[in-house]
Structure formats: C-alpha cells, structure tokens
C-alpha cells in the first residue's frame, strides 16, 4: 500500500508541473501586450503634441482668358487656374504626389492637368499655376445652346475634378497618407473673364 500511494503522489506531481513552452508563450504575450500599450501611448502623445491636420488642395484664383464659339459649333477657350496646396501642420512637412485634374464643359473634355511630386514645408502653401488653352472643341446643339445662354446670363461654369495623394510624418510614429479629392465648378463672367469665387477645397479619404 505505501508503494502504491507513493506512485500516485509522484504521478500527481508530474501532472501539476506547467510546460515551459506555456510559460514562454505567456511571457511573450505579456511583452506584446505591454508593447501595444506603449505604442498607443506614444501615438496619443504625438497627436497631442503635433496635432496633425490633413493637407488640402483648393482653387485660390482663376481667370477666363478666352471664350470663343462660332456658328459651326466650335468652342475655343483659355483659362488660367491657380491650385493651392496647403500644409497646416505646424511641426511636419507634407508631400503631394499623383496629382491629376480634369477640366470639362457640359461633359466635353477640355484638358488634363498634372504635376510632379513636391514638398510643402510646415505651415506653408505652394501654388500650381496652370494656363489651359484648348483647341477647337466640337459642341453638340445642346452644348451650343448652353454657351449662348452663358453669354446672355454672363455666367459660365466649367467642371474641375481631380485628386492628389498627401503624406506627412508624425514624429517617430511614422507616415500618414490621405487621398485628397477635388470636385467643383469654376464659374466666370465671360464678358470680362473674371472668376466668381466659390468654395473649392478638397475632401480627404
């Protein structure tokens, strides 16, 4: 009987021991959890210190240099457009890339505008100056009526759509990327070419 009891006791002791791999896994999980908490604290502190703002693109000014249409239904136009890239971050530079804009009139394409990547210093802006000159654009009868009406009303609108990718670094945390989309109308007085100001600022995604 004593021998049997001793054997059972040794068996229970063996079963009560924890596998070293389980201890190792527990320690690793604890270290990872602590690392995640520390990273979260660092990101939160960086946000409070830097207070990042999403860079934006907008139309700062424009001018209708030329608008000419004839009885054959051909339209000629020239526009000067100033696109402004703004970086409102006080402690981070921003990079703008993949910049493309489309200008059209009543669904009729006029021009595709592009720009190389560039950096905007903190709390600063950079202007992109475009002079868009179209060749003779054939218009449909309906589009010709819209142009005639624009002359009578002394107001004409062009569709301006495009986007740009923005990226800026938040201290040691890393880079943040956004896609800025611009979708608005550029309105002018065709009799003197002046731009009718309206809010045309990008939305981020």
């Amino acid at each position: 009987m004593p021998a049997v009891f001793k054997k059972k006791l040794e068996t229970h002791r063996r079963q009560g021991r924890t596998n070293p791999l389980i201890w190792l896994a527990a320690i690793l999980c604890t270290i990872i959890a602590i690392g995640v908490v520390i990273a979260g604290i660092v990101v939160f502190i960086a946000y409070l210190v830097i207070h990042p703002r999403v860079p934006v693109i907008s139309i700062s000014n424009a001018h209708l240099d030329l608008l000419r249409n004839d009885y054959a239904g051909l339209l000629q136009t020239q526009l000067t457009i100033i696109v402004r890239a703004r970086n409102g971050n006080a402690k981070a530079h921003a990079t703008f890339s993949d910049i493309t804009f489309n200008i059209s009139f009543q669904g009729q394409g006029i021009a595709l505008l592009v720009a190389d990547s560039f950096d905007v210093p903190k709390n600063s802006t950079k202007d992109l100056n475009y002079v868009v000159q179209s060749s003779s654009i054939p218009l449909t009868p309906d589009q010709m009526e819209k142009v005639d009406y624009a002359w009578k009303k002394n107001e004409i609108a062009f569709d301006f759509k495009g986007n740009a990718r923005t990226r800026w670094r938040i201290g040691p945390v890393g880079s943040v990327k956004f896609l800025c989309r611009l979708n608005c109308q550029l309105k002018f007085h065709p009799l003197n070419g002046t731009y009718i100001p309206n809010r045309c600022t990008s939305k981020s995604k």
Side-chain angles (χ1 to χ4, degrees), residues 162-182:
N163 56 67
R165 295 190 181 277
T166 61
R167 176 176 57 85
W168 73 102
R169 177 170 291 278
I170 303 179
V173 178
S175 297
V176 179
K177 299 179 181 179
F178 278 93
L179 179 64
C180 297
R181 296 184 180 275
L182 200 62

Side-chain angles (χ1 to χ4, degrees), residues 91 107 128:
K91 299 183 179 181
L128 302 176

Side-chain angles (χ1 to χ4, degrees), residues 30-140:
T30 303
I31 293 174
I32 292 173
I34 294 173
V36 171
V37 172
I38 293 175
I41 294 174
V42 171
V43 171
F44 181 70
I45 293 175
Y47 179 84
L48 292 179
V49 173
I50 300 176
H51 197 62
R53 296 180 180 179
V54 178
V56 297
I57 51 176
S58 60
I59 302 297
S60 65
N61 203 358
H63 190 268
L64 180 60
D65 304 324
L66 173 68
L67 181 67
R68 181 183 300 156
N69 61 304
D70 55 28
Y71 292 105
L74 298 177
L75 176 70
Q76 287 182 303
T77 183
Q78 178 174 311
L79 302 95
T80 298
I81 302 171
I82 301 176
V83 179
R84 178 164 294 171
R86 178 182 297 277
N87 176 23
N89 292 290
K91 299 183 179 181
H93 286 59
T95 300
F96 289 78
S97 61
D98 298 335
I99 304 163
T100 57
F101 303 109
N102 285 283
I103 303 176
S104 62
F105 173 75
Q106 296 295 321
Q108 183 74 48
I110 294 178
L112 174 66
L113 310 179
V114 297
D116 295 329
S117 301
F118 59 87
D119 293 332
V120 179
K122 52 189 176 183
N123 253 351
S124 186
T125 61
K126 179 179 176 63
D127 289 343
L128 302 176
N129 298 288
Y130 294 102
V131 177
V132 183
Q133 186 173 12
S134 71
S135 55
S136 296
I137 302 172
L139 301 178
T140 64

